[in-house]
Amino acid sequence: MDQENEDKTVRVDDHVSPQLRSGEPATPCIVNYSGSPGGVVHWLSPDKELLIGRAQEADVCIPDRRVSMRHARVVVSPEGAVLIEDLGSTNGTYVNSEKIVRRALRDGDEVLLLPDYKLKFRYRVNVKPEAAGKREAVATRDPATGDSARQDMLMRIDQDFIQARKQNEDLALLMVAIDGFAKVGETHGRDAAAMVLREVAKLAGAVLRRDDLLSPYDDDTFAIRLRNLNEAGTVVMAQRIRRTVKYHHFNHRGERIPVTVSLGIGTLTKKMKTAMDLVREVQNFLDKAKSAGRDTINGSQSIRAIFRQLGNKHVA
């Protein structure tokens, strides 16, 4: 009986090696959105399973205590079928809102571990074939900017959150989004957009202290973790980053590109239970800043009050 029930959760996809309309062969991958519009790509291959969970060694590491240490895994069969298997997790694994034990994935399937964590299975052209089967997506450095990668950042925030709570220390998080980044690429080309991304990372890094951590977070967004810095100090840091980017000359092939950033700011509060509470709050502040217009900062009521005391007119 148990075997029959388990078999019902396995759906074999015989279309396992599709080609895109361009005729290029496609590689299976898992895209980790984690509640954000961007996504980290994890390429899949038959010679290595993809482990999902809270454990630091997981390929898709999700630092939330509601996620089991070894929550689920994705494997590619010798025939090319891609299978996802729940590893006895506490809160379950869902594919397209259906709780599963083990089943095959089809292009476009959404995998939910929690409402906050969305993974999507896709077939894409792998622009770096050598990356398939490796932990490229969770390397500790981002190849475009040289900064700590998103998964490493989330793990560090989780660790710092726990320590700050225990030691009663200050902890802050900034999210810095490049205004109109997609338009930069459309107007000036991909090389120009890549240059802007690198330069913004370099400018923000020059403002930070030695122990601060900067990481690419989405296609146009960086996350910055600040330890032992109170609200006033965080406000000063955010203002310096905003001004430094705004007044920098971004030049590509002799053409100047105007660039500004919008920022969301959050600090550790007693009501926060997990690090993701802080991350979600900062994402919300960033969304509000971006909705208010370019070159804008948003944060809690107390943070906005500090900005206004400093005479900053760029607060949403």
Side-chain angles (χ1 to χ4, degrees):
M1 188 69 174
D2 290 341
Q3 181 64 40
E4 291 180 359
N5 290 336
E6 181 171 338
D7 287 345
K8 291 179 181 179
T9 68
V10 181
R11 301 180 182 178
V12 177
D13 187 352
D14 56 2
H15 192 53
V16 295
S17 185
Q19 289 190 331
L20 302 185
R21 290 182 179 178
S22 62
E24 298 179 86
T27 303
C29 64
I30 291 289
V31 184
N32 179 13
Y33 287 92
S34 295
S36 298
V40 178
V41 178
H42 303 266
W43 300 106
L44 303 172
S45 68
D47 59 352
K48 184 183 182 299
E49 70 177 33
L50 185 82
L51 177 63
I52 304 168
R54 198 172 79 246
Q56 187 169 353
E57 66 271 15
D59 300 291
V60 182
C61 180
I62 301 175
D64 190 304
R65 297 188 182 282
R66 295 172 295 174
V67 176
S68 299
M69 296 295 286
R70 292 174 55 86
H71 197 105
R73 67 172 183 168
V74 180
V75 297
V76 181
S77 73
E79 295 75 26
V82 180
L83 305 170
I84 184 167
E85 179 182 3
D86 184 84
L87 299 177
S89 65
T90 301
N91 292 308
T93 301
Y94 294 79
V95 176
N96 301 331
S97 301
E98 177 186 347
K99 190 173 184 179
I100 61 96
V101 176
R102 183 173 180 264
R103 64 161 283 181
L105 291 172
R106 296 177 181 270
D107 188 37
D109 279 349
E110 285 190 354
V111 179
L112 295 177
L113 280 76
L114 298 168
D116 308 307
Y117 298 102
K118 180 175 70 174
L119 310 176
K120 181 166 284 191
F121 173 67
R122 298 306 304 266
Y123 283 99
R124 290 183 176 180
V125 172
N126 187 353
V127 295
K128 294 183 178 180
E130 70 278 6
K134 298 181 180 179
R135 294 184 60 174
E136 178 116 349
V138 291
T140 57
R141 312 304 293 180
D142 181 82
T145 63
D147 296 303
S148 298
R150 174 174 175 163
Q151 290 299 320
D152 182 57
M153 165 66 86
L154 290 174
M155 288 188 289
R156 295 289 292 274
I157 292 174
D158 187 55
Q159 296 165 0
D160 292 333
F161 182 91
I162 295 172
Q163 177 179 325
R165 287 288 296 268
K166 288 182 178 179
Q167 303 297 328
N168 196 28
E169 298 173 341
D170 290 314
L171 179 67
L173 179 65
L174 309 182
M175 287 193 182
V176 184
I178 301 172
D179 297 322
F181 181 69
K183 189 174 181 179
V184 172
E186 294 171 0
T187 305
H188 304 280
R190 289 186 295 178
D191 290 345
M195 178 276 294
V196 168
L197 199 66
R198 290 192 301 269
E199 285 296 304
V200 169
K202 187 183 300 182
L203 292 169
V207 171
L208 301 178
R209 304 166 301 171
R210 177 179 297 180
D211 292 334
D212 295 333
L213 181 64
L214 183 149
S215 168
Y217 195 75
D218 285 332
D219 292 341
D220 62 350
T221 304
F222 296 92
I224 300 173
R225 185 269 286 142
L226 306 170
R227 292 188 302 189
N228 299 313
L229 193 65
N230 59 21
E231 281 191 342
T234 302
V235 165
V236 171
M237 186 75 75
Q239 183 72 301
R240 289 182 64 189
I241 292 172
R242 186 192 65 79
R243 288 175 174 171
T244 299
V245 172
K246 181 176 182 177
Y247 295 112
H248 180 73
H249 286 218
F250 292 82
N251 291 293
H252 180 69
R253 297 177 181 174
E255 184 178 6
R256 183 175 179 182
I257 303 174
V259 177
T260 59
V261 293
S262 293
L263 296 91
I265 305 176
T267 56
L268 175 62
T269 64
K270 293 182 179 179
K271 69 178 182 179
M272 294 176 180
K273 303 300 182 183
T274 71
M276 288 308 299
D277 291 335
L278 175 59
V279 172
R280 283 190 289 267
E281 180 173 270
V282 177
Q283 287 177 322
N284 181 50
F285 289 143
L286 177 62
D287 290 340
K288 290 181 178 179
K290 292 165 69 175
S291 298
R294 301 172 65 94
D295 195 26
T296 304
I297 300 172
N298 196 288
S300 66
Q301 184 174 353
S302 58
I303 285 177
R304 294 198 303 271
I306 295 172
F307 272 110
R308 293 192 178 97
Q309 289 173 6
L310 296 175
N312 183 9
K313 300 178 182 179
H314 300 270
V315 179

